[in-house]
Structure formats: structure tokens, C-alpha cells
């Protein structure tokens, strides 16, 4: 155990406290109390020594005049204080014995320039904490900092690369519009317009994302507002890789049943009653009155053939149920809902990005329609409004494409940008990205997503930390370098630590570490302890973790900017201007844990947008990014509304109770006409 631990662990306030008491000791009058101020927390050995000195050697203070032996500790303490205040601050930080915690330095930039400008900036942008800049005080700390900086630097994604990325992205977007099977799938969604906020009604939606399954009912108020009732359940890990699709889809149907019973009990029981009656009356067929229209948000790549029909192309985000691939996912869900006799019709199949785009358009301020809905969560993807004339592959699809409503001249296209540049011509790649991909259940696929999304960022960090842990020359989570822990706490990684398990580190930890401004990075250290079995991590450990987390997050945000820039540029939105600032706003709806919680995500993203020459600061300012929280559910409900209206148009007598719950009035006609009229909804 090094002496640094004791000395640098000594709190200057405690020293000052003792010196003040010595200085203030009266020579006459009542006996001064020599008890030190109550000391909370674990006591450092050095302090214990001080306290015991006080008891044995300070006893003579009880005499009227202090003896020379009494004066020795006081003089010593005074000397230490003078040294600390007058001399040590002028020495380089790693020679200082005591650090002053106040006043805090103006920012968190290191005084000695870091590994490279990229790393230096990561430090400077990190939130400041007290005491600041703990490490670089011992050779071990410096070694750890240097190793962490080297790894962080691998995640640099400079501006020339951003520009290259945008060019390649635009090229791959074009390819996807022209041919089936391109890297960017550019899937037609059959939704050819966006809502305007006046739609009304009560609808249901379910959302199978990456991590959770949500069931919601949505009351659209018709004034750009809505009320949402929802339940959410984490998808059990074994169902993500279930043997049959029946296992997953019957679980989903069960959740819908529970939701209906809990939140729409009356509706559910009256339906069950009616069903019973109709089955008792021979010859009377069951009527589909009071059946909810449901929007099914299914956040995986699906080849859509109509508004409620689409076959699964591939699983992403850790799902792997081979027998579902190539099947119509709406039919799979409807079958399980029917098996439970639920009053629900799957009316629309919606990717979460399309839902986000619809929801943002419904709620966004002003008249400007939303251009892009994007998810930066467990997975990443974007859907945008494209000109039908550019979607040339539709014509090549023949009868498979179904009827396309052309009145708006536009269609929402689901890019499936998670698979941008799968062949890695422009994407930045570190050794950590490579090993992550090789160990994944879909190597070579979703390469963009594997650098951006919540499913993978935690795993990238885990791999970086393991590299440091396994490198004997780098003292991460070892006892040697800490100047924070007392001698009784031994830094230790438990054998069953999730850090040793693939995907054991959750991406939310990156947000915690990157945004940690707690004294001595306590929050990160506690999370390491409680969640990841690393006991007594030091502030230096936490700072190394924080630096790498920030680097991974910053690269993800800058890569996200590539996708946004490419969509903005390829749709020509920047060049088509009216001169009216409101109309020229380019609106983007986003959702997902990363964009919502990762510190500085939007700032980093916007910085990269400004660096793209054809966007620049002026273009970046025109881009408005708004969170469409849980937008996918609302968006799916909006599309279900349209589907139902279409259906009612075909059969006016079959009025739905959901539309009855408020009337739809004001429904955007062009949305209505957007549906594939050939499709009839299953009952
Ligand atoms: C899926 C997309 C989805 C995105 C966000 C990706 O893994 O392929 O369909 O939109 O995740 O949830």
C-alpha cells in the first residue's frame, strides 16, 4: 500500500480544523475542549493516528501554560498548513500532497494536454465534479489515464469521415429506392401522407420494440393532443430466441388480453357476453361491432405489401426466431388474438420510425410537416417522406406491390438504416467493433446499428473495459493506483460480475458515467459496485470509465448525424426554400433512450451536422429536432385510424366503437386516400 494513499486521502479541512482549534485555544478561562469535531464515515489510518496523538500528547494543554511538548504538534500542523497554502499549489499536480476542493477550477479540461485534441475535448466537455481531476497523481494513476485515453482516441470520428459517410449514405439511399435487396432496404410503407393534428378517436396499439412490449390505448383529442394509457413489459430473454414464433406471439396476445381486462374491462366483458350469446344462437353469425382497430408497431425489417400485411425480412436487436422469417407478422399476431377471442383487429402494420414520424407530425408545432422520424434507442432506424417518382422499384415489383395511392405524390419510406454500409466501406471500425460483430448472432449485418444503438454501446464499453482489465500493465479496478480508497477497502471484481458476460453491461450505464458530476464520481462508482460487482472502484477508475463512455457516445451521436444529414440533403429540403422561416423549418421527430438520456447527444449530433459543408451552421439551424416520446404507439394508432376509416368507407354499416368514442372528424383526407385500397382487413 503506498504512502500516497494516506497523504492524499487526508482532508485539508480536517487539518485546518485542528490548526484553528489550536490557534483559538484560550490561555485563560474554561478549559478548552480538545475533542475533535465528530468524524463521520470510515476513518483513515492517518487520522486515527492524529486522534490518538491528541489523547496522549495534548493532555498538557490542561495546564495554564502550554509546555514545549504540547506546542510541537501544533507547530507541525501550522507548518503543514502554510506549506499547503503557500508552496504546494505551485508544484505540478502530481507532486501536491493535498488538494484543495475549493474554489473549483473553471472547467474540467486537464492542465496538461491529453493524449490528443479529441480526448482533450472529451475531458473539457465532461461535467465537472469535485474534487476535480483526481488522477495523474501517482504513476499508476497516470498509466491508467494514458491507457484509457488511448482507447478513447480509437473512437474519434473526424469531420472528413463524417462527410464521406454522408456521401456514401446518400448513394445507398438512392440504390435502395431503385432495387430490392440493396444495403439500405428503403421499404415502401404504403402511408402516403402525414396527419395534421385534427384527428379524433380511441384506438389501440401494440409495440414490439427491442426490449419491451407495450400495449396502449390512445384517445386522440383532435387538437394535436392525445391521452395515452399504456402498459409495458420487458420481453423475456428466452422468448427473443424462442423455438417457434407461436411462443412469442401468444405471449404478446396474452399481454393484450390483460391490458383490455384492466383498462377497458367493460368493453371486454360486454364483448365476451355478446360472443357467448351469438355462439348459443344457432345460425347467427358473430358481428364485428365493438372491435378495436389495432396498430401493430413491429420494429424489425419487414417487407410490406400493404397497410396490414408484411413479411419479416430478418430479425435484429438480438431476436432470433427462424420460423418467423418470411411470414406475415400481422397474421401471426391476429391468429393468437383470435385464439383468445379478443375483440381486436390488426388494422395496420407500422415500423416504429413510421409511428414516430406520424406522431411527431400530429403534435409538432406550426404547419410544417415532419420530414423524418428516427429512433436512437435499442436499435436505430429512420423513416422519411419520399417522392413517389424516386421510389422507382415500386413499379418493378409488379402485382406484389399492390395498389399505390398517388394523389399526394409522396410515400413514407422506411430506410432500415441500421444496415447502412454493411460492407464497411466508410464506417469507422475499432478492434472492439470487430469482435462485437463476430460474436453477434448476425455477423456482417446491421453494422451501422452496431456502432450507434443501445443494444450495442454497452457491449462496446464492456469490451473496452475488459481489454484494460486483462492488460497487466493497466491498473483498472486494482488496488494499486487508488488515492481514494482507504486501506481497508480492496478493489475487486467479483467472479460473477456481469462485466464478464456478453451484453452484461447495459447502455444506460454509459449515460450514467458520461453525465456523472457527483463528488469523486461517486455515482459511477456506486453503479459499478451495485450493478457490476466491482467493489471499491476508485475515482481514477471511474474517470477512465467515464472517458471511454463519452468517446463511444460521441461517435454514436456523430454517426447519427450522418444519417440525418443524408436524408435532409437527398430530399432537397435545404435547397427548396420559401423565404419564410417557419415554412423552411425542417422538422424531425426522434425517440429512443439514447437521444433522450445520453448526455450531449443532440449537441454532438448538431456539431457534426454543421461540419457537413452542404449543411453548415445556417442549414443546421433550420433543422428542428423534437422528441416524440412513445411516438411509435401513437403513430400506429393514427395509422390504424386511417385503416379503420378506410374500412368503414367500404362498409358503412360496420361502425366501430372506437371511432364512436369521439368521432373522427377532420381526418386528413390525403391520409385516408393513402391506404392501399385493395387490402381488406381481417375480422
Ligand atoms: C430495426 C428497425 C427499427 C429499429 C429501431 C432496428 O433494429 O431493424 O426496424 O426501426 O431497430 O427500433
Amino acid at each position: 500500500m503506498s504512502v500516497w494513499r494516506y497523504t492524499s486521502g487526508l482532508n485539508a479541512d480536517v487539518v485546518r480544523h485542528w490548526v484553528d482549534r489550536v490557534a483559538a485555544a484560550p490561555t485563560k478561562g474554561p478549559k478548552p475542549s480538545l475533542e475533535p469535531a465528530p468524524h463521520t464515515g470510515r476513518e483513515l489510518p492517518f487520522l486515527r493516528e492524529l486522534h490518538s496523538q491528541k489523547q496522549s500528547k495534548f493532555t498538557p494543554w490542561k495546564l495554564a501554560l502550554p509546555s514545549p511538548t504540547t506546542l510541537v504538534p501544533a507547530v507541525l500542523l501550522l507548518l503543514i498548513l502554510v506549506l499547503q497554502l503557500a508552496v504546494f499549489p505551485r508544484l505540478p499536480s502530481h507532486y501536491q500532497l493535498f488538494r484543495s476542493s475549493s474554489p473549483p477550477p473553471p472547467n474540467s479540461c486537464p492542465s496538461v494536454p491529453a493524449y490528443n485534441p479529441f480526448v482533450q475535448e472529451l475531458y473539457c466537455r465532461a461535467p465537472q465534479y469535485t474534487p476535480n481531476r483526481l488522477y495523474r497523481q501517482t504513476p499508476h494513476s497516470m498509466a491508467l489515464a494514458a491507457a484509457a485515453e488511448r482507447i478513447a482516441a480509437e473512437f474519434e470520428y473526424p469531420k472528413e469521415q463524417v462527410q464521406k459517410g454522408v456521401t456514401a449514405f446518400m448513394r445507398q439511399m438512392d440504390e435502395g429506392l431503385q432495387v430490392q435487396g440493396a444495403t439500405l432496404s428503403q421499404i415502401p410503407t404504403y402511408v402516403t401522407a402525414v396527419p395534421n393534428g385534427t384527428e379524433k378517436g380511441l384506438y389501440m396499439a401494440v409495440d414490439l420494440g427491442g426490449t419491451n412490449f407495450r400495449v396502449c390505448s390512445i384517445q386522440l383529442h383532435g387538437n394535436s393532443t392525445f391521452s395515452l394509457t399504456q402498459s409495458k413489459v420487458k420481453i423475456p430473454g428466452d422468448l427473443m430466441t424462442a423455438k417457434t414464433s407461436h411462443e412469442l406471439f401468444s405471449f404478446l396476445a396474452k399481454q393484450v388480453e390483460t391490458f383490455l381486462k384492466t383498462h377497458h374491462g367493460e368493453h371486454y366483458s360486454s364483448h365476451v357476453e355478446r360472443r357467448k350469446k351469438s355462439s348459443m344462437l344457432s345460425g347467427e353469425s358473430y358481428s364485428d361491432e365493438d372491435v378495436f382497430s389495432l396498430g401493430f408497431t413491429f420494429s424489425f425489417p419487414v417487407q410490406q405489401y400493404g397497410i396490414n400485411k408484411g413479411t419479416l425480412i430478418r430479425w435484429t436487436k438480438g431476436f432470433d426466431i427462424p420460423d418467423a422469417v418470411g411470414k406475415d407478422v400481422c397474421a401471426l399476431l391476429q391468429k393468437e388474438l383470435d385464439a383468445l377471442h379478443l375483440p381486436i383487429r390488426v388494422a395496420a402494420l407500422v415500423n416504429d420510425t413510421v409511428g414516430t414520424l406520424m406522431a411527431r407530425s400530429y403534435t409538432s408545432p406550426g404547419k410544417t410537416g415532419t420530414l423524418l422520424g428516427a429512433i436512437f434507442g435499442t436499435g436505430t432506424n429512420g423513416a422519411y417522406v419520399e417522392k413517389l417518382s424516386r421510389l422507382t422499384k415500386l413499379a418493378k415489383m409488379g402485382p406484389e406491390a399492390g395498389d399505390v395511392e398517388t394523389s399526394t405524390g409522396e410515400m413514407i419510406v422506411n430506410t432500415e438504416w441500421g444496415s447502412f454500409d454493411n460492407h464497411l466501406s466508410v464506417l469507422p471500425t475499432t478492434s472492439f467493433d470487430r469482435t462485437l460483430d463476430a460474436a453477434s448472432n448476425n455477423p456482417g449485418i446491421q453494422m451501422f446499428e452496431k456502432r450507434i444503438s443501445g443494444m450495442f454501446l454497452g457491449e462496446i464499453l464492456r469490451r473496452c473495459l475488459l481489454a484494460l482489465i486483462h492488460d497487466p500493465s493497466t491498473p483498472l479496478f486494482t488496488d494499486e493506483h487508488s488515492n481514494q480508497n482507504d486501506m481497508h477497502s480492496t478493489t475487486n471484481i467479483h467472479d460473477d460480475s456481469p462485466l464478464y458476460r456478453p451484453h452484461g453491461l447495459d447502455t444506460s450505464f454509459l449515460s450514467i458515467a458520461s453525465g456523472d458530476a457527483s463528488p469523486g464520481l461517486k455515482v459511477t462508482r456506486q453503479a459499478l459496485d451495485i450493478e457490476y460487482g466491482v467493489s471499491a472502484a476508485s475515482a481514477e477508475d471511474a474517470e477512465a470509465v467515464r472517458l471511454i463512455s463519452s468517446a463511444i457516445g460521441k461517435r454514436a451521436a456523430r454517426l447519427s448525424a450522418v444519417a440525418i444529414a443524408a436524408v435532409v440533403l437527398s430530399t432537397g429540403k435545404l435547397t427548396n426554400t420559401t423565404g419564410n422561416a417557419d415554412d423552411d423549418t425542417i422538422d424531425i421527430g426522434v425517440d429512443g433512450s439514447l437521444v433522450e438520456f445520453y448526455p450531449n447527444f443532440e449537441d454532438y449530433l448538431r456539431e457534426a451536422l454543421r461540419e457537413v459543408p452542404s449543411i453548415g451552421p445556417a442549414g443546421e439551424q433550420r433543422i428542428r429536432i423534437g422528441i416524440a416520446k412513445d411516438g411509435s404507439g401513437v403513430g400506429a394508432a393514427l395509422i390504424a385510424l386511417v385503416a379503420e376509416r378506410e374500412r368503414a368507407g367500404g362498409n358503412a354499416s360496420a361502425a366501430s366503437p372506437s371511432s364512436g368514442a369521439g368521432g373522427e372528424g377532420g381526418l386528413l383526407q390525403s391520409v385516408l386516400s393513402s391506404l392501399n385500397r385493395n387490402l381488406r382487413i381481417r375480422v
Side-chain angles (χ1 to χ4, degrees):
M1 210 57 64
S2 82
V3 70
W4 289 97
R5 173 164 301 204
Y6 303 142
T7 50
S8 55
L10 177 60
N11 185 334
D13 292 340
V14 177
V15 178
R16 232 177 263 129
H17 161 81
W18 277 91
V19 175
D20 289 348
R21 291 183 81 93
V22 170
T27 46
K28 287 185 186 160
K31 286 181 203 163
S33 160
L34 294 174
E35 287 305 310
H39 183 66
T40 51
R42 282 190 285 195
E43 204 175 39
L44 296 173
F46 187 83
L47 291 184
R48 259 202 307 279
E49 219 171 276
L50 266 183
H51 292 170
S52 62
Q53 273 178 13
K54 181 267 305 179
Q55 273 149 23
S56 56
K57 302 209 174 128
F58 287 2
T59 320
W61 276 67
K62 291 178 183 164
L63 301 174
L65 283 174
S67 75
T69 40
T70 313
L71 283 175
V72 171
V75 169
L76 264 177
L77 286 170
L78 268 172
L79 193 65
I80 290 170
L81 180 67
V82 169
L83 277 177
Q84 172 170 14
L85 297 180
V87 181
F88 289 144
R90 294 183 196 164
L91 295 176
S93 64
H94 49 276
Y95 290 122
Q96 288 178 27
L97 292 184
F98 311 120
R99 285 158 286 103
S100 162
S101 55
S102 63
N107 59 42
S108 49
C109 302
S111 47
V112 182
Y115 187 73
N116 71 9
F118 170 73
V119 173
Q120 173 82 1
E121 209 222 309
L122 285 178
Y123 281 132
C124 298
R125 292 281 280 272
Q128 206 180 317
Y129 65 91
T130 326
N132 198 38
R133 311 288 313 138
L134 275 172
Y135 68 62
R136 293 164 178 253
Q137 297 191 358
T138 71
H140 280 101
S141 304
M142 290 158 78
L144 174 60
E149 289 179 9
R150 272 195 304 277
I151 290 195
E154 290 188 44
F155 292 91
E156 182 172 8
Y157 185 47
K159 81 174 176 205
E160 311 74 54
Q161 296 298 317
V162 171
Q163 176 54 44
K164 269 196 187 155
V166 174
T167 311
F169 201 110
M170 288 171 70
R171 197 180 50 244
Q172 293 184 22
M173 278 178 80
D174 280 351
E175 270 166 30
L177 291 173
Q178 292 160 24
V179 291
Q180 292 274 61
T183 320
L184 275 194
S185 301
Q186 299 282 64
I187 300 168
T189 63
Y190 296 86
V191 179
T192 57
V194 294
N196 63 4
T198 59
E199 296 78 5
K200 288 183 182 174
L202 178 65
Y203 294 87
M204 276 198 75
V206 294
D207 184 346
L208 181 66
T211 316
N212 299 308
F213 179 62
R214 287 188 300 148
V215 187
C216 26
S217 56
I218 293 135
Q219 181 75 56
L220 302 167
H221 300 306
N223 57 357
S224 287
T225 67
F226 60 85
S227 323
L228 180 88
T229 308
Q230 73 164 329
S231 71
K232 187 159 92 173
V233 53
K234 197 168 159 36
I235 301 159
D238 53 337
L239 285 187
M240 292 166 68
T241 52
K243 290 216 171 56
T244 63
S245 50
H246 162 72
E247 286 169 55
L248 174 67
F249 283 85
S250 62
F251 169 82
L252 305 185
K254 262 265 162 249
Q255 305 308 314
V256 177
E257 182 182 52
T258 309
F259 180 88
L260 269 188
K261 283 182 181 164
T262 313
H263 299 288
H264 299 279
E266 236 169 69
H267 184 78
Y268 174 77
S269 355
S270 65
H271 168 82
V272 171
E273 274 311 301
R274 261 195 322 280
R275 239 188 191 219
K276 269 190 204 149
K277 266 192 219 147
S278 72
S279 61
M280 279 170 356
L281 298 173
S282 58
E284 197 170 306
S285 70
Y286 172 71
S287 141
D288 69 341
E289 283 176 23
D290 289 338
V291 169
F292 274 108
S293 283
L294 176 132
F296 180 17
T297 305
F298 185 73
S299 311
F300 300 90
V302 164
Q303 186 58 58
Q304 232 172 311
Y305 298 108
I307 201 74
N308 70 342
K309 191 174 164 64
T311 54
L312 177 63
I313 299 172
R314 61 176 177 273
W315 288 107
T316 59
K317 295 178 281 197
F319 279 70
D320 189 16
I321 310 170
D323 90 326
V325 177
K327 294 211 176 117
D328 177 1
V329 291
C330 282
L332 289 176
L333 179 62
Q334 187 71 60
K335 186 173 161 210
E336 301 299 339
L337 293 170
D338 290 349
L340 295 175
H341 307 296
L342 300 181
I344 291 180
R345 171 192 314 115
V346 181
L349 174 62
V350 185
N351 185 269
D352 52 356
T353 53
V354 182
T356 301
L357 172 51
M358 296 295 273
R360 172 70 188 170
S361 237
Y362 184 79
T363 54
S364 72
K367 288 182 288 165
T368 323
T370 301
L371 171 70
L372 168 70
I375 302 283
F376 301 103
T378 308
T380 185
N381 187 15
Y384 71 104
V385 182
E386 180 57 279
K387 289 190 192 72
L388 270 172
S389 57
R390 280 173 36 92
L391 194 47
T392 49
K393 70 178 173 188
L394 261 184
K396 297 179 201 155
M397 281 166 71
E400 226 190 21
D403 266 3
V404 176
E405 164 57 47
T406 54
S407 62
T408 62
E410 294 178 330
M411 183 182 277
I412 297 178
V413 170
N414 168 13
T415 64
E416 283 298 335
W417 70 37
S419 63
F420 163 58
D421 199 31
N422 276 345
H423 46 288
L424 297 183
S425 65
V426 291
L427 282 178
T429 301
T430 66
S431 56
F432 308 105
D433 298 307
R434 255 181 242 115
T435 56
L436 178 149
D437 179 50
S440 71
N441 58 11
N442 53 357
I445 294 174
Q446 301 291 107
M447 299 306 251
F448 192 54
E449 179 164 88
K450 283 175 180 157
R451 284 151 180 77
I452 292 186
S453 79
M455 177 82 198
F456 302 101
L457 296 191
E459 179 61 5
I460 297 179
L461 175 63
R462 189 186 74 87
R463 286 169 182 274
C464 295
L465 297 186
L466 281 187
L468 289 176
I469 290 167
H470 292 147
D471 177 355
S473 66
T474 305
L476 180 71
F477 304 145
T478 58
D479 231 16
E480 278 96 55
H481 70 282
S482 170
N483 68 14
Q484 269 284 306
N485 304 332
D486 66 50
M487 68 181 299
H488 301 295
S489 52
T490 306
T491 308
N492 154 41
I493 312 174
H494 298 206
D495 288 346
D496 60 351
S497 162
L499 290 184
Y500 294 130
R501 280 203 308 269
H503 289 275
L505 200 151
D506 198 275
T507 296
S508 60
F509 178 72
L510 265 82
S511 299
I512 294 173
S514 304
D516 192 359
S518 61
L521 299 183
K522 198 166 150 203
V523 171
T524 303
R525 291 155 67 202
Q526 269 170 358
L528 281 167
D529 187 355
I530 297 165
E531 305 286 331
Y532 299 106
V534 180
S535 46
S538 66
E540 292 89 337
D541 290 329
E543 187 146 324
V545 171
R546 185 172 82 155
L547 182 73
I548 299 172
S549 302
S550 307
I552 296 170
K554 183 172 181 179
R555 186 185 72 165
R558 289 174 67 79
L559 281 166
S560 308
V562 166
I564 290 181
V567 171
V568 167
L569 291 172
S570 72
T571 50
K573 287 286 165 198
L574 269 181
T575 40
N576 302 339
T577 52
T578 63
N580 174 326
D582 273 352
D583 295 344
D584 289 344
T585 298
I586 300 169
D587 194 65
I588 294 178
V590 291
D591 197 8
S593 46
L594 216 56
V595 64
E596 208 185 340
F597 301 119
Y598 188 85
N600 297 332
F601 193 86
E602 190 180 336
D603 290 350
Y604 285 143
L605 187 154
R606 283 189 174 279
E607 232 166 63
L609 286 177
R610 284 194 292 275
E611 289 169 14
V612 177
S614 34
I615 294 186
E620 179 267 317
Q621 270 183 16
R622 282 181 49 198
I623 299 173
R624 180 173 67 197
I625 300 178
I627 291 268
K629 179 93 185 112
D630 294 338
S632 51
V634 181
L638 279 162
I639 299 174
L641 172 156
V642 174
E644 181 205 72
R645 181 71 177 269
E646 162 72 358
R647 184 175 173 276
N651 174 9
S653 61
S656 152
S658 43
S659 59
E664 290 151 46
L667 178 71
L668 196 74
Q669 316 86 328
S670 51
V671 177
L672 176 62
S673 60
S674 75
L675 297 171
N676 183 342
R677 291 172 188 282
N678 278 353
L679 290 161
R680 278 290 160 261
I681 292 141
R682 254 186 82 156
V683 182

